[in-house]
């Protein structure tokens, strides 16, 4: 059963939730800060354009290799920039699903935030490549669209036949008004995705437990409540994946 706030989860509804997205970005940054390696490391960032993860990791002293898809006929970059000392960001233009420009076990940590796994429909190929380039003991954090989000989107589109197929479907693809698709995951599917690539899942949780309508209502009454809301979110139960529009997974390469 979809929550009463599911009407906020349509593409049009999400665009209008200004206060919620401000809260969401603060929560995401706080979660990444807790997750980032404590020692200076080489970090691969495959996040979508809405994440500020590369700058955040560099500010924490890490050497970040940021991957962006080629634009306007750009040729993919073939040479990896030489890592700089201290916190830094080097950008490379390449297809994230084929990390052939990186050698095996050459990366300490991977950030694939801002729905990166949902943006890459062949997520199996991407996660397999992440496992290859991670050093033994290296970790990855990634975010996806949740099955609840996908069901709400289908309900908003009145795609009742497709909605009824979601619980039994192995792959759930949701069309967006602009003609693109997003791939949605449940916790069991995410665990299988990473386990099949040889990675050990540490945890899977909702990015936010608080609903968009709750956050919008609280901040509408008290704009200064943002810090308290973020603190409450971080202290909330961490392993409930049954709510929230996005899921976050942390996994490590054994060794």
């Amino acid at each position: 059963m979809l929550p009463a706030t599911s009407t906020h989860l349509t593409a049009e509804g999400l665009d209008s939730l200004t206060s919620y997205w401000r809260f969401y970005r603060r929560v995401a940054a706080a979660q990444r800060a807790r997750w980032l390696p404590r020692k200076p490391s080489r970090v691969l960032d495959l996040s979508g354009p809405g994440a500020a993860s590369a700058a955040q990791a560099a500010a924490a002293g890490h050497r970040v290799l940021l991957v962006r898809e080629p634009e306007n006929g750009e040729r993919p970059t073939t040479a990896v920039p030489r890592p700089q000392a201290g916190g830094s960001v080097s950008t490379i233009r390449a297809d994230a699903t084929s990390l052939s420009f990186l050698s095996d076990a050459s990366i300490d940590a991977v950030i694939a935030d801002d729905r990166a796994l949902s943006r890459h429909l062949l997520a199996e190929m991407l996660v397999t490549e992440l496992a290859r380039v991670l050093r033994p003991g290296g970790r990855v954090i990634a975010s996806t669209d949740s099955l609840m989000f996908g069901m709400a989107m289908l309900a908003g589109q009145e795609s009742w036949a497709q909605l009824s197929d979601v619980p039994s479907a192995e792959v759930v693809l949701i069309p967006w008004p602009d003609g693109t698709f997003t791939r949605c995951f449940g916790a069991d599917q995410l665990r299988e995705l990473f386990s099949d690539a040889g990675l050990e899942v540490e945890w899977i949780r909702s990015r936010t437990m608080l609903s968009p309508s709750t956050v919008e209502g609280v901040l509408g009454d008290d704009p200064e409540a943002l810090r308290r809301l973020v603190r409450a979110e971080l202290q909330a139960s961490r392993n409930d994946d049954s709510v929230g529009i996005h899921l976050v997974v942390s996994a490590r390469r054994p060794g």
Side-chain angles (χ1 to χ4, degrees):
M1 180 177 179
L2 293 178
T5 58
S6 63
T7 53
H8 290 91
L9 304 185
T10 63
E12 295 80 3
L14 285 173
D15 288 342
S16 67
L17 298 177
T18 303
S19 295
Y20 175 73
W21 287 123
R22 188 157 52 97
F23 160 78
Y24 180 101
R25 288 191 293 270
R26 290 280 289 271
V27 169
Q31 290 172 340
R32 289 193 300 265
R34 291 184 172 188
W35 180 90
L36 281 168
R38 295 295 171 255
K39 297 180 179 180
S41 304
R42 193 179 190 203
V43 177
L44 176 66
D45 193 334
L46 305 173
S47 302
S53 45
Q56 181 181 9
H62 302 296
R63 305 182 307 278
V64 183
L65 181 62
L66 175 63
V67 177
R68 287 283 184 250
E69 297 287 339
E71 296 179 349
N72 301 323
E74 286 181 312
R75 299 186 64 179
T77 308
T78 56
V80 179
R82 183 184 299 274
Q84 302 177 35
S88 62
V89 178
S90 300
T91 302
I92 186 171
R93 294 287 181 179
D95 178 7
T97 56
S98 177
L99 303 177
S100 58
F101 52 88
L102 290 173
S103 57
D104 296 356
S106 60
I107 295 294
D108 300 311
V110 176
I111 304 175
D113 214 335
D114 190 27
R115 308 170 46 245
L117 294 186
S118 289
R119 296 175 187 273
H120 294 278
L121 302 186
L122 297 177
E124 290 81 2
M125 293 178 58
L126 176 58
V127 175
T128 298
E129 279 291 272
L130 299 186
R132 179 183 66 80
V133 301
L134 272 175
R135 64 166 177 78
R139 302 169 71 215
V140 55
I141 187 171
S143 67
T144 74
D145 290 335
S146 70
L147 285 181
M148 191 195 79
F149 173 78
M151 294 174 69
M153 287 284 287
L154 289 174
Q157 298 167 9
E158 298 186 358
S159 301
W160 308 119
Q162 293 89 333
L163 180 59
S164 64
D165 290 338
V166 167
S168 59
E170 293 186 4
V171 177
V172 179
L173 300 179
I174 305 299
W176 284 68
D178 62 2
T180 61
F181 286 82
T182 187
R183 184 171 175 180
C184 299
F185 294 85
D188 290 341
Q189 293 170 325
L190 270 182
R191 193 173 299 278
E192 182 178 1
L193 176 68
F194 281 81
S195 297
D196 286 350
L199 298 174
E200 295 178 349
V201 174
E202 297 176 314
W203 47 258
I204 299 172
R205 65 189 64 148
S206 298
R207 166 125 289 166
T208 61
M209 302 282 289
L210 298 175
S211 68
S213 59
T214 297
V215 173
E216 289 282 317
V218 171
L219 294 181
D221 294 335
D222 181 10
E224 301 302 318
L226 179 60
R227 181 176 300 178
R228 296 195 299 273
L229 278 177
V230 172
R231 185 166 58 248
E233 181 67 65
L234 295 176
Q235 294 173 347
S237 174
R238 295 186 172 186
N239 296 316
D240 186 356
D241 65 290
S242 62
V243 298
I245 59 177
H246 299 141
L247 298 182
V248 185
V249 55
S250 176
R252 65 184 296 274
R253 178 177 172 179

